[in-house]
Amino acid sequence: MATRTIKRKKLKDEIYDIIRNDIPLRHKIGKQLNIEVQSVYQSAARKSTKFSLPIILEVISKHTGLPKEELTNV
């Protein structure tokens, strides 16, 4: 039986910049992922795909006012 892997999309570079520079947003993301704020910053610096999880996209969208569709690279 073949296994199927789901490839997560990366966020746009501007969104990673917003995450790194917006402390309240990092707190919200950290709370959702149950990780420290510094870990959120480090993940954004290395452009982790963990931010493309639906719940995190929702948090970023509500905080920035951008639609979820505009957050990821297509």
Side-chain angles (χ1 to χ4, degrees):
M1 180 186 287
T3 59
R4 191 172 110 187
T5 59
I6 298 172
K7 186 171 181 177
R8 292 191 207 160
K9 300 176 188 174
K10 281 193 170 187
L11 300 179
K12 293 181 179 177
D13 289 341
E14 307 88 59
I15 305 303
Y16 288 114
D17 291 339
I18 290 170
I19 294 170
R20 285 196 316 270
N21 295 320
D22 191 334
I23 295 169
L25 178 58
R26 290 199 315 251
H27 280 279
K28 291 178 184 179
I29 293 171
K31 185 175 181 180
Q32 287 296 321
L33 293 173
N34 199 26
I35 60 176
E36 295 291 327
V37 176
Q38 185 63 27
S39 296
V40 175
Y41 179 88
Q42 291 169 346
S43 295
R46 66 175 184 273
K47 298 182 180 178
S48 173
T49 57
K50 76 170 83 176
F51 299 125
S52 64
L53 294 169
I55 189 71
I56 304 305
L57 289 176
E58 185 71 29
V59 168
I60 296 169
S61 178
K62 283 183 181 178
H63 187 83
T64 62
L66 297 170
K68 287 191 272 186
E69 298 79 28
E70 292 184 18
L71 300 177
T72 58
N73 289 325
V74 178

